[in-house]
Structures are given as structure tokens and as C-alpha cells.
């Protein structure tokens, strides 16, 4: 097997792992894996339809990665400002205290800002819970999307 095929497969596997581990850009690694192999084959493998399909799945996973938590917070009733601030705080705390920082940052920020705005602890807690579940759901969706990219790549290129 070609060295670029091995590199692409490694990047796709890392993409699946990175979709559930913070600090590894899972979707981006998966897309890069597909592109590396496609370029190395002179733009012939995977074929154009498979390439576009795999790339689109990767882009959906990428958008899910960066916007999923904020969308979940909005879905739970948090304001746009709260959603954006929670996303930033969760991202920054991830670097300080690891994966737990994402959950603490999102849940704590949503609860605090929504409580300041509405003075309702129960509703603020519900919104924080929905946002936190949304962060977990985002990771699950990313894992499914990046895994489907890996399977699709193997089916179209290797087998």
C-alpha cells in the first residue's frame, strides 16, 4: 500500500479519536486525510462524487464541532450573548483544566448569566443542563460523522 494511503488512514482514525477528545480537531483531521490522499493520487481517488461526499460530511462535522454547543444553549432558551460567552469560556477553560473545563465553563456560564438576566434559579439550571447535554451530543454527532468518513473512505479506496 502507498504511504499516502497510510497517512490518510491515520488522519481519519485520529479524526474519529479527536471528535471525542478535546484539543484534537477531529473533523479537520478527517478532511485533511481525504484531501491528502486525493491530491497524492493526482485527484483520481477517491472519485469526484466520493470526494465531494466525504468532504461535505467532514465540513458538517467541523461546523458541528464549533457551533454545536452554542446552538444547544440557544435551543435550551439561553440568549445569544449567553451562548457565545459560554462557548468562549468553555473553550478557554478546556486549556486550563482539561476536558472538564468545557462542561464547567458552559454550564457555569449559562447558569450565571441566565440567572443574572432572569433571577430564576430553576430555569437557569434547566438552560445550563440543556447546554451541557448539547455539548455531549455534539461530540457524539462528530464521532458518528468522522467514523462514517473513515468507513466511506475505506469502502471507496481500500476495498
Amino acid at each position: 500500500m502507498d504511504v499516502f494511503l497510510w497517512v490518510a488512514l491515520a488522519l481519519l482514525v485520529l479524526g474519529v479519536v479527536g471528535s471525542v477528545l478535546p484539543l484534537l480537531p477531529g473533523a479537520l483531521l478527517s478532511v485533511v486525510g481525504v484531501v491528502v490522499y486525493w491530491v497524492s493520487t493526482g485527484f483520481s481517488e477517491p472519485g469526484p462524487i466520493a470526494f465531494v461526499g466525504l468532504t461535505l460530511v467532514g465540513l458538517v462535522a467541523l461546523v458541528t464541532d464549533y457551533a454545536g454547543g452554542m446552538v444547544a444553549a440557544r435551543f435550551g432558551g439561553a440568549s445569544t450573548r449567553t451562548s457565545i460567552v459560554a462557548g468562549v469560556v468553555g473553550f478557554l477553560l478546556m486549556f486550563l483544566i482539561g476536558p472538564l473545563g468545557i462542561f464547567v465553563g458552559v454550564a457555569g456560564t449559562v447558569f450565571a448569566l441566565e440567572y443574572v438576566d432572569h433571577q430564576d434559579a430553576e430555569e437557569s439550571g434547566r438552560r445550563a443542563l440543556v447546554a451541557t447535554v448539547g455539548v455531549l451530543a455534539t461530540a457524539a454527532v462528530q464521532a458518528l460523522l468522522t467514523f462514517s468518513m473513515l468507513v466511506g473512505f475505506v469502502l471507496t479506496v481500500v476495498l
Side-chain angles (χ1 to χ4, degrees):
M1 276 204 237
D2 181 14
V3 68
F4 287 108
L5 178 59
W6 286 109
V7 169
L9 287 171
L11 287 168
L12 284 156
V13 169
L14 276 173
V16 175
V17 172
S19 66
V20 292
L21 289 179
L23 301 178
L24 268 179
L28 185 60
L29 289 170
S30 293
V31 170
V32 168
V34 171
V35 171
V36 161
Y37 188 70
W38 187 61
V39 170
S40 77
T41 63
F43 310 105
S44 64
E45 280 191 68
I49 293 172
F51 175 76
V52 169
L54 291 168
T55 303
L56 286 176
V57 170
L59 293 176
V60 168
L62 193 62
V63 169
T64 300
D65 185 16
Y66 292 107
M70 288 186 279
V71 169
R74 284 289 299 137
F75 181 76
S79 70
T80 301
R81 173 187 61 98
T82 297
S83 301
I84 292 170
V85 172
V88 170
V89 170
F91 180 75
L92 294 174
L93 283 180
M94 174 180 65
F95 292 105
L96 295 175
I97 59 176
L100 184 61
I102 296 169
F103 302 109
V104 170
V106 168
T109 303
V110 169
F111 180 82
L113 293 180
E114 289 298 306
Y115 185 77
V116 166
D117 287 348
H118 305 289
Q119 301 297 312
D120 184 349
E122 186 175 323
E123 184 62 20
S124 298
R126 187 192 67 75
R127 290 176 181 178
L129 178 63
V130 169
T132 304
V133 169
V135 170
L136 289 170
T138 296
V141 168
Q142 266 190 88
L144 289 171
L145 289 171
T146 54
F147 183 71
S148 71
M149 286 181 72
L150 174 61
V151 170
F153 183 83
V154 168
L155 290 175
T156 59
V157 173
V158 178
L159 298 181

